[in-house]
Amino acid sequence: MSTATKPKHIGRNISRIRELRGMKQEALAQAIGTNQQAISGIEGSEEVDSKKLVEIAKALGVTVEAIENFSEESVFNYFNNFYDNSASNGQINGPNNNCTFNPLDKVVELYERLVQAEKDKVEYLEKLMKGK
């Protein structure tokens, strides 16, 4: 059994991070001032020029180290931990946070109360004016 580790494939890491970010090759290309074919070539190569890697990292909103050390396992661990931690942080309506009321109804109700308060003020001021 070999103890040698598989070399990092920087292009593949860029591709996976880009996909996880929901970004298309065209969008990444535009962000760094190149074309889609160049991004395709970069994603297919194991090594990427350090200057280009800095530009790509900035466009993806990650660090160069994040691209170099990216692994699928770490992403799954991050999201599993994030879900586990957020699911029990005192959420009243569960992890989906569904409303049990219609927010628009609440706005209408508040508006009606404000209108009624103004009507009451007008009525009170009219009584005061008649009293003088």
Side-chain angles (χ1 to χ4, degrees):
M1 234 167 116
S2 173
T3 58
T5 58
K6 190 168 63 172
K8 298 282 184 185
H9 193 291
I10 302 300
R12 192 174 301 128
N13 292 352
I14 291 170
S15 174
R16 290 299 296 138
I17 292 170
R18 177 185 56 74
E19 290 168 356
L20 288 168
R21 295 273 223 195
M23 184 183 278
K24 294 193 177 289
Q25 284 183 338
E26 295 85 12
L28 180 57
Q30 188 176 21
I32 66 169
T34 188
N35 59 30
Q36 182 271 327
Q37 289 81 7
I39 297 299
S40 181
I42 289 170
E43 290 181 353
S45 62
E46 283 189 34
E47 296 294 323
V48 177
D49 176 57
S50 61
K51 183 180 174 188
K52 189 63 79 176
L53 191 58
V54 169
E55 292 176 23
I56 291 170
K58 185 177 178 184
L60 290 172
V62 297
T63 64
V64 172
E65 293 79 20
I67 293 174
E68 292 173 339
N69 300 320
F70 177 83
S71 74
E72 298 283 333
E73 183 178 324
S74 65
V75 171
F76 292 128
N77 286 339
Y78 171 79
F79 283 111
N80 285 339
N81 289 338
F82 178 78
Y83 178 76
D84 290 343
N85 290 336
S86 66
S88 61
N89 280 345
Q91 289 186 3
I92 296 170
N93 295 324
N96 293 334
N97 226 4
N98 295 328
C99 290
T100 57
F101 59 90
N102 185 348
L104 190 55
D105 289 343
K106 293 294 183 182
V107 171
V108 170
E109 180 183 318
L110 177 61
Y111 180 77
E112 289 173 348
R113 285 193 296 176
L114 288 171
V115 168
Q116 186 59 47
E118 290 300 314
K119 285 180 182 177
D120 293 345
K121 280 187 213 174
V122 169
E123 184 179 67
Y124 177 72
L125 289 173
E126 285 176 350
K127 284 182 184 177
L128 285 177
M129 294 299 286
K130 287 180 184 176
K132 288 192 176 187

